[in-house]
């Protein structure tokens, strides 16, 4: 299994500011993903965080708005830039360890933009 | 295209059995996951099926039919704490690709 720590767990942010969410895993993992879950909705993939290179973004998500870093196999960050109330959401880090078929989620970061 | 369908809401009573269905139409398939998500919390892993048949794990069981593009999650001896959203997700065949999630089924268990 993998234990994932996400920070911050919750935050209230001012419109126009940016916030960086951190995801730390207790073991090296092959894949790391970032999802968004808007109120009452299911999970939507933002991007795949690639170790040592630029993230791979899904349609509708761009690097300028959601810059992602992954400097090593255990850590990644997601920044939500120039926030608006529409960015109020849960942001979830997800990992796939090399050895198994289970995909794990961090505890989530609950962001409210006012 | 990718399409995963689940009922939006279900209700049941304590002690009962409930079956949550999931149908999928995806370009390729490498397994199906079920997650439980309580309000205000992150999803937690329940089951993974890649071969046809039934996987039993305590009160929860998950079934897969790849030829029909169909899965279900069976919850027995329902408890109030089982009130949650249940998410069906398909793993694409390409290595390193993320799960594709259905919209989730909100289950309400009453006494």
């Amino acid at each position: 299994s993998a234990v994932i720590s996400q920070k911050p767990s919750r935050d209230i942010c001012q419109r126009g500011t940016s916030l960086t969410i951190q995801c730390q895993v207790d073991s090296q993992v092959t894949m790391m993903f970032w999802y968004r879950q808007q109120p009452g909705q299911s999970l939507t993939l933002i991007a795949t965080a690639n170790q040592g290179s630029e993230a791979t973004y899904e349609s509708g998500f761009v690097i300028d708005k959601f810059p992602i870093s992954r400097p090593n196999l255990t850590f990644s960050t997601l920044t939500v830039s120039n926030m608006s109330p529409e960015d109020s959401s849960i942001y979830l880090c997800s990992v796939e360890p090399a050895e198994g078929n289970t995909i794990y989620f961090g505890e989530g970061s609950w962001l409210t933009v006012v | 295209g990718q399409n995963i369908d689940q009922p939006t809401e279900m209700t049941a009573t304590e002690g009962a059995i409930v079956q949550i269905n999931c149908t999928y139409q995806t370009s390729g398939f490498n397994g199906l996951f079920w997650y439980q998500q309580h309000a205000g919390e992150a999803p937690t892993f329940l089951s993974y099926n890649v071969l046809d048949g039934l996987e039993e794990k305590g009160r929860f069981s998950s079934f897969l039919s790849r030829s029909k593009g169909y899965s279900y999650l069976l919850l027995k001896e329902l408890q109030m704490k089982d009130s949650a959203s249940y998410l069906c997700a398909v793993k694409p065949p390409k290595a390193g690709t993320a799960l594709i999630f259905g919209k989730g089924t909100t289950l309400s268990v009453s006494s």
Side-chain angles (χ1 to χ4, degrees):
Chain A
S1 67
V3 177
I4 306 168
S5 172
Q6 253 188 263
K7 297 179 183 179
S9 56
R10 294 181 185 277
D11 209 339
I12 298 174
C13 308
Q14 296 297 316
R15 188 191 301 247
T17 63
S18 299
L19 182 79
T20 296
I21 302 166
Q22 298 181 1
C23 177
Q24 177 73 55
V25 192
D26 68 342
S27 57
Q28 293 186 346
V29 293
T30 306
M31 305 302 301
M32 295 182 79
F33 306 99
W34 287 98
Y35 286 86
R36 180 174 74 182
Q37 187 176 29
Q38 294 178 304
Q41 303 295 313
S42 190
L43 280 71
T44 301
L45 181 67
I46 298 172
T48 301
N50 300 309
Q51 193 260 325
S53 64
E54 190 173 289
T56 305
Y57 289 85
E58 297 299 301
S59 175
F61 298 95
V62 295
I63 188 171
D64 289 347
K65 176 67 175 177
F66 297 102
I68 287 171
S69 77
R70 189 177 173 193
N72 56 52
L73 292 175
T74 64
F75 184 77
S76 178
T77 66
L78 168 74
T79 299
V80 186
S81 302
N82 188 25
M83 285 186 282
S84 67
E86 292 72 33
D87 294 320
S88 297
S89 188
I90 307 166
Y91 292 86
L92 291 152
C93 171
S94 173
V95 305
E96 181 176 358
E99 74 283 359
N101 287 313
T102 305
I103 295 176
Y104 299 94
F105 285 87
E107 308 99 326
S109 297
W110 268 250
L111 302 187
T112 302
V113 184
V114 297
Chain B
Q2 322 276 31
N3 192 43
I4 302 175
D5 285 320
Q6 307 177 234
T8 304
E9 295 179 342
M10 298 184 71
T11 59
T13 54
E14 269 188 306
I17 299 173
V18 71
Q19 177 174 312
I20 303 175
N21 296 323
C22 172
T23 58
Y24 62 91
Q25 294 171 308
T26 56
S27 48
F29 177 84
N30 193 25
L32 188 141
F33 289 79
W34 283 97
Y35 287 86
Q36 180 190 60
Q37 186 176 26
H38 284 101
E41 299 182 11
T44 55
F45 170 79
L46 289 178
S47 68
Y48 170 68
N49 294 67
V50 66
L51 299 176
D52 290 350
L54 185 69
E55 296 273 347
E56 297 188 72
K57 193 185 294 185
R59 293 190 299 115
F60 293 4
S61 304
S62 56
F63 172 83
L64 176 67
S65 169
R66 289 172 296 171
S67 62
K68 296 181 179 178
Y70 168 68
S71 173
Y72 67 73
L73 181 69
L74 191 72
L75 292 76
K76 303 176 185 176
E77 302 170 15
L78 280 174
Q79 302 174 12
M80 298 290 285
K81 67 178 183 179
D82 297 328
S83 294
S85 286
Y86 291 86
L87 305 172
C88 171
V90 170
K91 184 168 174 50
K94 183 180 176 184
T97 49
L99 297 180
I100 304 166
F101 281 86
K103 296 188 184 303
T105 300
T106 300
L107 174 66
S108 299
V109 180
S110 59
S111 57

